[in-house]
Amino acid sequence: MSGSRPIRVLNVAEKPSVAKAVAGILSRNRGLRVRDGRSRYNRIFEFEYTIRSQACHMLVTSVTGHLMELDFDERYRKWYSCDPSDLYSAPVRKHVPQDKVDIKRCLEEEARKCQWLILWLDCDREGENIAFEVVEVCTAVNHHLNIWRARFSALIDREIHESVQNLVRPNQLFADAVDARQEIDLRIGASFTRFQTMLLKDAFVLDFAGDEKNLVLSYGPCQFPTLGFVVERFWEIQSHEPEEFWTINCSHTSDEGIATFNWMRGHMFDHTCAVIIYEMCVEEPTATVTRVRNQEKLKYPPYPLSTIELQKRASRYFRMSSEHTMKVAEELYQAGFISYPRTETDGFSVNTDLHAIAREQQGHPLWGSYAQQLLDPESGLWRNPGSGGHDDKAHPPIHPTKFSTGESRWSQDHNRLYELVVRHFLACVSQPAVGAETTVEIDIAGELFSASGRVIVAKNYLDVYRFESWGGSMIPNYLFGQQFVPTSLTLDSGVTRPPPLLSEADLLSCMDKAGIGTDATMHDHIKKLLDRFYATKDTNTRFSPTNLGEALVMGYDEMGYELWKPYLRSMMECDMKAVSVGTKRKAEILETCLQQMKACFLDAKSNKVKLLEAMEIFFERSNRGGGVRDEQHDVGQVVRSCGSCHQSDMVLKRKPDGNFMVGCLHFPQCRNVVWLPGGISEAAVTSQICNSCTPGPVFKIQFKFQRIAIPHHYNVDHLGCIGGCDDTLKELIEICGTGPRNPVITPARGRRPMEPSSNAQRGTTRQSACVHCRQTGHSSNDCPSQISDSRGSQRGRRLSLQNRTTTLSCNACGEPCIFRTANTANNRGRKFYKCQREECNFFVWEDSIDNNDTGGGRARSPPSRGSRGRGRGEGRSAPNVSFVTATGEPISGRRCFICGDPSHFANVCPNRG
DNA sequence: GCAAGGTC
């Protein structure tokens, strides 16, 4: 690296702001020239500089993130160009998309005239991959380029000058890891998205989307686990089984005030035990103070602000969506008011001049005086901030970069977010809040109770961080050994509540913990759930799955695949790490991962009936699934596998002339076909499987005939089988023919299509027995034994729910009850009804209901613990009387233990001492 | 019309 003639050095950063900062720092803003490039955002900065005695004419420009995209070869881009399983081996290539061509040309023009190329991309794996994209473009026009990488962790003077004097070579392994990630994401995403969209979109009435034609049912390794979190919590809430618990509360009023003591056992689920203990306390109610503890407690300010924390706090404090937060933060960043908003880093580098950042805020009308106090050494308020231990080696934590009292163009959300960034910064360089906490423990008849109070001694950071509070209350003074009689001692009941729906902050935490997405993309994945109609968000920023979202997760869950769980992404992340440190090769992980995923895809495809069944729970079948629009391109619904060529499926299709047929997908190589009768107006494949035709499964078809086309004694609606067992269908074919094309039933390959194959059960009666219970009168799919024996699976639960919803109404409010399966350790698999109103706690076990009480009547009162096989009443029938708790909720089979009156509990007994 | 990751 020596020589006296200046060399031309092309410097490329990941984004325009970094190019500007690097040029400013290196040139010290002396002799710095700026000119426009071909791309309007990516300007070129020029100045003279010396790198290790080598005079350099520096040109600093930028890209805007990735320069290239990965996609399939043209031949595979159209959705119907191939089977989606081919996408695991279809050739892929990187190309520069149209909107990046200007940047590419600019790099080419400059690279031709340069000797060196220095890459200033972010120092993470994606940055390294972008570096190689830049290298590819530049070396294509100049093979002699000397290629260097600048490593820096923050855009501060010392870092930048040091990094340019200590250039290294780019790291191919980091870039390889990203290449592998891109290819896996593309192949998995495209194959599953095409598969499930083509399978389900036209098979069901999905009218919520407005424009059904453009509906895409996407699958992605990040969006699906995100959906999984939402569905899982929803299911957890649905299967929650409320349990009664009991607790003893004690209070003491004195001249100094009121102290509320909590029972140190917390909640007790055994009523008998609770009553016995309560009785003991009531009989010997004198309390003795056994412990008085005074302690200093500190409440620490938050760590410096990372992107996820910004999103979580903006959601919590202002109810802003993560997507909107990022949009506003991006605008504040572009205008220079805050630092780069996409960062994982939650600790400041020791080189950062934190005092300078605080000094800038001294003039603000709201928090300026706090900033002044903070900077005054006398106050002792300043504290060097802690670190959460995350560092993306590319960006500092989010902090204010320019003072503002609010700009005229700013919306309320701009003001709020800027305020949050500033207050958060000032808070994290402040001393923690200090509190004095007092805890008093008392003993009543051997039972321990405790009360605590807190006084804030010094608010410190809480003075500026108005978003957080530290609640506390005073309690009277107590002395060790002091005795008193409580003012009140009550036995109170309550019920356990399910957890709440996931909030946006919860969802971000789940994703962060499982490594789903990056700081720059997590909000995109959340938004995608809403855009794809997989989930909805209520005004409280809490997420629920839609029917579509729940059905998709349920379908894959029923297949036994955890494609909706975060494990796949975690596994991929481990592989990426292995590639980036050189313990595995890119080709190796690509091969194993894609092989596994292809096997999984093929299995999912062969189990698609599970997806269809899950969808059927929520959606009506549509009559568009038979390939109405485009015979060549529409795959149709599968009826059975082809018994002729054994290579493909037989699918239901509608010909352009309106008549239906079931033909082999391997046409024209295989010409196996079943022509269906004329006069059919609608036909759709159901998930019901014929239990006599073989080889199975043969799915039954729901037909709708034109009234005018069939004799009056035939029903226009007919659930038929094309496997050969369906005599009614045969008769209708005889009567109606198969349309103008085939006036006579023409068997393919010389066999009559409606005949069962040679090894079929010939002569099966039309009313065949259910395979599950051996009874006639219903199909195996409708078998009641299957509905109630659903093994607690999600699908079983929903089926039960659908079939049983209206059979009971709530005793408390009269609303219908829903039928569920318990999933708790003690009652797993046990069925119960719960009031459909979430806020109503009424529930009743199915096995405690009188047999003659289920026909649309009202449910009995909730059973006593005796009927649940636990507690005092075990093996005893509960007396049929009504009791109420202190809040008036009815509970059966109880009697006041003080006076024996069945109309109330002891805690509200008038005879209580 | 598919993914996720950069970024404007």
Side-chain angles (χ1 to χ4, degrees):
Chain A
M1 290 193 193
S2 67
S4 52
R5 261 187 62 215
I7 53 168
R8 284 177 77 85
V9 179
L10 177 60
N11 297 266
V12 183
E14 189 160 322
K15 43 191 163 279
S17 60
V18 173
K20 188 182 175 188
V22 167
I25 291 168
L26 291 182
S27 68
R28 297 195 160 87
N29 286 319
R30 284 196 291 268
L32 182 64
R33 287 144 353 246
V34 193
R35 63 182 161 93
D36 287 334
R38 282 176 171 273
S39 159
R40 58 184 281 222
Y41 299 110
N42 308 88
R43 305 208 293 170
I44 304 162
F45 301 86
E46 292 188 57
F47 57 95
E48 307 306 320
Y49 193 73
T50 304
I51 302 176
R52 297 201 167 193
S53 313
Q54 171 66 62
C56 302
H57 179 74
M58 302 285 266
L59 297 107
V60 186
T61 188
S62 57
V63 286
T64 43
H66 277 287
L67 189 55
M68 296 178 169
E69 276 176 12
L70 189 71
D71 209 345
F72 296 107
D73 268 7
E74 190 56 43
R75 170 170 140 35
Y76 295 88
R77 296 235 187 121
K78 287 242 177 336
W79 277 42
Y80 293 91
S81 61
C82 64
D83 187 292
S85 63
D86 296 340
L87 297 177
Y88 286 90
S89 51
V92 289
R93 63 182 184 87
K94 273 191 174 186
H95 71 285
V96 177
Q98 200 50 45
D99 60 337
K100 300 283 175 75
V101 167
D102 281 344
I103 298 174
K104 178 185 176 230
R105 290 211 184 114
C106 178
L107 290 177
E108 286 170 344
E109 281 168 11
E110 301 302 334
R112 279 196 189 98
K113 298 176 275 184
C114 288
Q115 285 80 54
W116 281 19
L117 170 65
I118 302 180
L119 302 152
W120 291 88
L121 287 305
D122 293 354
C123 293
D124 51 22
R125 289 205 300 250
E126 294 295 331
E128 213 65 17
N129 189 271
I130 301 170
F132 278 88
E133 293 174 356
V134 172
V135 168
E136 190 181 323
V137 165
C138 293
T139 53
V141 296
N142 182 353
H143 300 292
H144 305 296
L145 273 176
N146 198 348
I147 296 159
W148 294 102
R149 177 77 162 104
R151 295 217 161 274
F152 59 103
S153 58
L155 289 169
I156 47 179
D157 289 26
R158 206 177 77 185
E159 286 266 334
I160 298 300
H161 284 288
E162 268 180 21
S163 70
V164 79
Q165 297 299 338
N166 295 287
L167 296 169
V168 293
R169 297 295 180 186
N171 183 344
Q172 183 69 56
L173 295 177
F174 270 43
D176 281 353
V178 172
D179 279 342
R181 198 265 307 148
Q182 288 178 341
E183 192 172 329
I184 292 168
D185 283 348
L186 175 66
R187 292 187 190 279
I188 296 175
S191 58
F192 273 94
T193 299
R194 290 186 192 183
F195 159 68
Q196 64 187 29
T197 304
M198 294 193 289
L199 176 70
L200 305 173
K201 189 174 87 170
D202 287 335
F204 296 93
V205 181
L206 305 173
D207 49 4
F208 49 83
D211 185 6
E212 271 186 73
K213 231 175 101 183
N214 293 327
L215 183 68
V216 172
L217 306 184
S218 63
Y219 174 88
C222 284
Q223 52 179 275
F224 243 59
T226 307
L227 172 62
F229 292 129
V230 174
V231 173
E232 202 159 39
R233 173 57 63 91
F234 182 72
W235 284 347
E236 206 181 326
I237 294 167
Q238 283 214 316
S239 63
H240 176 76
E241 172 199 320
E243 278 199 87
E244 286 169 280
F245 60 79
W246 300 87
T247 189
I248 302 174
N249 287 310
C250 169
S251 74
H252 180 227
T253 308
S254 64
D255 297 343
E256 289 183 59
I258 303 169
T260 303
F261 291 86
N262 297 312
W263 195 18
M264 287 176 75
R265 289 181 195 266
H267 296 159
M268 189 166 261
F269 289 92
D270 190 313
H271 177 246
T272 313
C273 284
V275 166
I276 291 168
I277 295 168
Y278 179 67
E279 260 178 343
M280 284 160 43
C281 293
V282 170
E283 279 168 20
E284 244 182 275
T286 305
T288 308
V289 177
T290 55
R291 194 178 183 194
V292 179
R293 192 177 48 186
N294 291 301
Q295 246 187 336
E296 184 185 89
K297 278 276 166 90
L298 298 179
K299 183 174 169 65
Y300 280 90
Y303 293 128
L305 197 56
S306 64
T307 303
I308 296 167
E309 275 304 311
L310 175 74
Q311 292 173 358
K312 280 159 68 168
R313 287 171 191 266
S315 170
R316 223 178 286 143
Y317 305 150
F318 317 131
R319 300 194 172 189
M320 280 167 68
S321 74
S322 51
E323 193 235 347
H324 183 59
T325 297
M326 290 314 288
K327 187 171 171 283
V328 174
E330 179 68 28
E331 285 164 9
L332 290 174
Y333 161 67
Q334 289 297 333
F337 292 102
I338 63 169
S339 63
Y340 189 65
R342 287 181 281 274
T343 176
E344 285 174 37
T345 311
D346 52 12
F348 281 102
S349 143
V350 287
N351 299 319
T352 316
D353 189 350
L354 300 169
H355 286 83
I357 301 171
R359 264 196 303 275
E360 273 223 285
Q361 299 294 335
Q362 290 184 100
H364 198 277
L366 295 178
W367 54 76
S369 60
Y370 184 88
Q372 287 166 21
Q373 204 190 338
L374 190 60
L375 290 160
D376 177 6
E378 296 283 301
S379 73
L381 188 54
W382 183 277
R383 167 184 158 273
N384 284 330
S387 166
H390 301 93
D391 189 354
D392 64 15
K393 306 278 183 199
H395 308 285
I398 304 166
H399 61 273
T401 49
K402 191 159 76 178
F403 174 77
S404 176
T405 52
E407 307 293 310
S408 57
R409 297 183 310 277
W410 283 6
S411 68
Q412 188 189 25
D413 288 342
H414 287 83
N415 280 302
R416 282 167 160 177
L417 215 60
Y418 180 75
E419 182 181 349
L420 172 59
V421 170
V422 177
R423 287 189 186 269
H424 194 102
F425 173 79
L426 296 174
C428 72
V429 291
S430 299
Q431 292 291 346
V434 184
E437 216 170 79
T438 304
T439 309
V440 178
E441 284 177 22
I442 56 169
D443 178 318
I444 303 173
E447 284 302 300
L448 297 179
F449 297 80
S450 81
S452 62
R454 186 191 304 121
V455 184
I456 298 179
V457 178
K459 284 184 81 178
N460 293 335
Y461 89 91
L462 289 173
D463 272 329
V464 73
Y465 208 54
R466 65 176 181 85
F467 315 109
E468 280 185 1
S469 61
W470 201 20
S473 59
M474 296 280 290
I475 55 167
N477 279 321
Y478 288 93
L479 297 170
F480 176 78
Q482 181 185 339
Q483 290 197 321
F484 60 88
V485 176
T487 315
S488 76
L489 197 59
T490 55
L491 178 65
D492 298 316
S493 69
V495 284
T496 57
R497 308 279 304 176
L501 288 164
L502 284 184
S503 69
E504 186 142 6
D506 296 334
L507 192 51
L508 286 162
S509 294
C510 290
M511 295 169 76
D512 186 30
K513 222 164 148 187
I516 301 298
T518 68
D519 48 35
T521 61
M522 282 158 84
H523 67 278
D524 281 335
H525 301 313
I526 294 174
K527 184 168 181 288
K528 191 149 274 177
L529 299 191
L530 305 173
D531 291 345
R532 297 284 192 222
F533 307 99
Y534 291 169
T536 54
K537 185 166 73 166
D538 64 24
T539 49
N540 217 12
T541 81
R542 295 195 178 269
F543 287 82
S544 306
T546 60
N547 286 342
L548 178 62
E550 191 180 352
L552 290 173
V553 170
M554 196 183 275
Y556 285 113
D557 189 48
E558 279 294 300
M559 285 180 203
Y561 283 125
E562 297 193 315
L563 289 167
W564 52 281
K565 295 258 191 181
Y567 315 134
L568 173 66
R569 197 69 187 170
S570 303
M571 191 186 78
M572 279 166 65
E573 185 55 38
C574 276
D575 279 347
M576 299 306 115
K577 188 113 197 165
V579 172
S580 67
V581 297
T583 52
K584 281 186 184 174
R585 286 177 305 111
K586 176 174 91 171
E588 193 184 327
I589 67 144
L590 268 176
E591 194 188 328
T592 50
C593 182
L594 291 174
Q595 204 175 12
Q596 284 170 8
M597 284 311 296
K598 186 177 181 182
C600 175
F601 177 82
L602 291 174
D603 209 41
K605 207 177 139 193
S606 65
N607 275 308
K608 62 189 169 198
V609 64
K610 303 277 189 196
L611 262 181
L612 292 165
E613 280 175 353
M615 287 290 285
E616 259 185 350
I617 295 170
F618 301 95
F619 299 101
E620 291 291 318
R621 277 280 191 173
S622 107
N623 58 3
R624 291 170 293 132
V628 180
R629 294 178 311 284
D630 186 339
E631 182 204 338
Q632 196 187 348
H633 285 161
D634 206 314
V635 176
Q637 296 171 286
V638 175
V639 180
R640 67 184 306 181
S641 58
C642 179
S644 177
C645 67
H646 300 289
Q647 284 189 31
S648 200
D649 289 331
M650 302 278 287
V651 297
L652 174 68
K653 290 186 171 195
R654 189 171 204 171
K655 309 298 288 179
D657 63 12
N659 286 300
F660 287 91
M661 57 170 276
V662 176
C664 178
L665 273 180
H666 204 41
F667 179 86
Q669 286 85 357
C670 175
R671 293 180 173 268
N672 192 9
V673 65
V674 178
W675 300 109
L676 293 167
I680 297 173
S681 58
E682 288 172 33
V685 181
T686 68
S687 61
Q688 296 199 29
I689 297 168
C690 173
N691 46 31
S692 54
C693 290
T694 56
V698 181
F699 294 101
K700 292 188 176 180
I701 300 174
Q702 183 67 53
F703 296 101
K704 193 170 195 75
F705 286 83
Q706 296 156 0
R707 180 75 273 173
I708 199 166
I710 56 171
H712 70 275
H713 59 280
Y714 284 92
N715 199 330
V716 290
D717 294 304
H718 177 70
L719 182 65
C721 174
I722 57 109
C725 65
D726 188 339
D727 291 341
T728 308
L729 190 58
K730 284 181 191 171
E731 287 163 19
L732 285 166
I733 292 175
E734 291 291 343
I735 295 162
C736 306
T738 55
R741 183 187 301 272
N742 287 295
V744 178
I745 304 166
T746 310
R749 294 189 163 215
R751 183 166 65 79
R752 285 181 68 83
M754 296 305 293
E755 278 177 7
S757 58
S758 57
N759 58 351
Q761 299 164 11
R762 288 176 191 278
T764 312
T765 56
R766 281 159 71 177
Q767 185 82 337
S768 53
C770 168
V771 293
H772 301 301
C773 67
R774 305 280 164 212
Q775 302 292 312
T776 56
H778 61 261
S779 78
S780 56
N781 283 47
D782 298 328
C783 179
S785 71
Q786 295 306 297
I787 290 166
S788 55
D789 281 344
S790 58
R791 298 164 318 194
S793 73
Q794 303 304 337
R795 173 169 157 68
R797 217 168 61 215
R798 294 302 300 212
L799 271 177
S800 308
L801 188 153
Q802 289 245 323
N803 291 342
R804 308 288 283 274
T805 299
T806 57
T807 58
L808 278 183
S809 46
C810 172
N811 248 15
C813 64
E815 288 289 312
C817 288
I818 49 179
F819 183 67
R820 293 190 188 143
T821 306
N823 200 25
T824 52
N826 291 328
N827 288 302
R828 185 159 290 126
R830 202 168 164 202
K831 308 286 190 288
F832 65 95
Y833 290 86
K834 175 179 179 314
C835 178
Q836 68 171 17
R837 284 176 60 235
E838 201 188 322
E839 59 274 26
C840 178
N841 285 320
F842 176 81
F843 89 107
V844 60
W845 293 106
E846 186 196 36
D847 51 25
S848 70
I849 299 171
D850 295 337
N851 287 338
N852 59 2
D853 197 21
T854 53
R858 288 171 76 85
R860 264 183 15 184
S861 299
S864 70
R865 294 207 170 264
S867 70
R868 298 167 75 165
R870 289 198 274 154
R872 178 169 58 175
E874 190 158 4
R876 233 173 39 173
S877 61
N880 191 19
V881 287
S882 289
F883 282 71
V884 289
T885 65
T887 54
E889 288 175 62
I891 295 182
S892 71
R894 300 266 168 69
R895 187 174 287 272
C896 172
F897 71 88
I898 295 174
C899 67
D901 190 328
S903 67
H904 61 255
F905 275 122
N907 58 326
V908 289
C909 178
N911 299 325
R912 195 160 64 94

